[in-house]
């Protein structure tokens, strides 16, 4: 192939060394390919696990929960899990690894952004029932507040209000779309109210009303559609026994 007049020869590309390949694999952690590589690597763990002896293992990428019948079985499962991970050059993270007894009144556990806890029904018809409830964990709710505060930060006062509302809606739709399946009405309501309050505070700062943050909140509340900010009320789909988990949205407190 001949070179055209405007083309310039490319410099010589050296052969890719093995250390460069390892570096690429290391730096992909946290990227879009990371979950796939993690599943491929931990597939050996799934195949070696014996549910009948050590309980049922539920794993999503590098997060896992083992459901056991007794504490003795749970301790044996933790020991077995530690051995299997050591064979892969890994170890459980001490800060996130613990044995929890799911009983009424006991603390629950966080898994995949949800907090799971055994609770008793609050209505007269369900007061005799206990069930495993789930709602967004404190860490997940704090992440939502941090993101909302970032979108409505002081350094973005020159951004048009329509852009701020659009970005808030995009985040709220995605966040609520994941956490709406469960007993999440209270937490979703709190996050939605926080977004409304931050939008009002941003408006006050944009209008140079440093000591009148209530003015911005009032402007949002007096707007027929809250300046276009979406509401997270009545978006939760609570779990029901023997019903499709993708059932009709219902508002519950």
């Amino acid at each position: 192939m001949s070179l055209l007049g405007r083309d310039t020869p490319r410099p010589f590309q050296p052969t890719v060394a093995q250390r460069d390949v390892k570096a690429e694999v290391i730096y992909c952690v946290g990227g879009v390919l990371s979950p796939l590589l993690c599943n491929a690597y931990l597939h050996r763990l799934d195949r070696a696990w014996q549910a009948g002896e050590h309980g049922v293992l539920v794993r999503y990428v590098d997060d896992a929960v083992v459901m056991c019948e007794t504490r003795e079985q749970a301790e044996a499962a933790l020991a077995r899990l530690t051995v299997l991970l050591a064979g892969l050059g890994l170890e459980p993270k001490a800060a996130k690894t613990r044995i929890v007894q799911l009983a009424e009144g006991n603390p629950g556990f966080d898994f995949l952004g949800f907090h799971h806890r055994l609770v008793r029904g609050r209505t007269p018809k369900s007061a005799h029932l206990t069930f495993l409830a789930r709602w967004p964990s404190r860490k997940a709710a704090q992440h939502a507040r941090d993101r909302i505060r970032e979108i409505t930060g002081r350094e973005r006062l020159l951004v048009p209000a329509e852009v701020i509302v659009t970005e808030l809606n995009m985040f709220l739709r995605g966040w609520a779309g994941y956490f709406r399946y469960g007993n999440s009405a209270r937490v979703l309501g709190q996050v939605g109210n926080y977004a409304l309050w931050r939008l009002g505070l941003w408006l006050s700062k944009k209008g140079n009303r440093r000591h009148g943050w209530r003015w911005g909140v009032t402007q949002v509340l007096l707007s027929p559609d809250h300046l276009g900010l979406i509401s997270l009320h009545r978006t939760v789909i609570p779990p029901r026994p023997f019903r499709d988990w993708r059932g009709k949205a219902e508002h519950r407190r």
Side-chain angles (χ1 to χ4, degrees):
M1 179 183 297
S2 60
L3 295 174
L4 299 178
R6 61 177 180 273
D7 292 335
T8 56
R10 294 184 177 181
F12 174 75
Q13 298 293 333
T15 304
V16 178
Q18 184 65 25
R19 62 178 180 272
D20 298 326
V21 176
K22 293 181 180 179
E24 290 294 333
V25 174
I26 292 173
Y27 287 120
C28 79
V29 174
V32 295
L33 192 60
S34 181
L36 175 61
L37 295 176
C38 185
N39 280 332
Y41 194 71
L42 292 179
H43 183 63
R44 293 170 57 188
L45 171 64
D46 301 335
R47 297 186 61 182
W49 191 262
Q50 297 178 354
E53 181 178 357
H54 297 109
V56 179
L57 172 67
V58 179
R59 184 183 65 82
Y60 184 84
V61 191
D62 59 344
D63 292 327
V65 169
V66 182
M67 295 174 287
C68 305
E69 296 181 357
T70 63
R71 185 174 183 85
E72 290 74 17
Q73 187 184 36
E75 292 175 349
L78 179 57
R80 177 59 175 166
L81 182 64
T82 303
V83 171
L84 292 176
L85 290 178
L88 298 173
L90 304 172
E91 62 180 4
K93 190 173 183 178
K96 296 184 178 180
T97 304
R98 60 193 179 101
I99 298 177
V100 177
Q101 181 185 14
L102 284 179
E104 184 183 355
N106 287 2
F109 66 95
D110 295 343
F111 184 57
L112 301 181
F114 281 93
H115 179 73
H116 303 262
R117 182 178 298 188
L118 196 69
V119 300
R120 182 173 294 274
R122 297 182 178 181
T123 63
K125 294 183 178 180
S126 62
H128 64 289
L129 299 176
T130 57
F131 61 96
L132 186 63
R134 65 180 182 270
W135 55 82
S137 65
R138 291 184 178 180
K139 184 177 180 180
Q142 186 60 48
H143 166 72
R145 295 187 183 94
D146 293 341
R147 179 55 182 155
I148 292 171
R149 187 167 57 251
E150 180 182 350
I151 295 174
T152 57
R154 183 185 297 271
E155 65 279 1
R156 308 195 70 201
L157 295 179
L158 297 180
V159 179
E162 296 78 7
V163 175
I164 297 295
V165 173
T166 299
E167 294 184 11
L168 285 174
N169 286 342
M170 290 179 60
F171 171 75
L172 292 175
R173 285 194 184 97
W175 192 85
Y178 177 79
F179 288 107
R180 65 185 300 207
Y181 299 100
N183 311 89
S184 310
R186 182 177 62 87
V187 179
L188 261 67
Q190 293 174 347
V191 171
N193 291 337
Y194 182 77
L196 188 148
W197 178 77
R198 285 292 307 184
L199 178 60
L201 182 62
W202 180 86
L203 282 175
S204 294
K205 293 178 181 179
K206 186 177 181 65
N208 199 22
R209 298 173 182 264
R210 299 181 179 179
H211 303 287
W213 60 267
R214 292 182 181 85
W215 176 86
V217 176
T218 302
Q219 299 304 309
V220 178
L221 293 178
L222 291 180
S223 173
D225 59 349
H226 292 173
L227 299 181
L229 186 67
I230 64 172
S231 173
L232 300 186
H233 294 291
R234 300 185 181 276
T235 60
V236 172
I237 299 181
R240 289 290 185 269
F242 310 111
R243 295 184 184 179
D244 188 353
W245 63 273
R246 295 165 296 183
K248 183 179 179 181
E250 181 178 336
H251 176 63
R252 292 184 62 86
R253 288 289 185 181

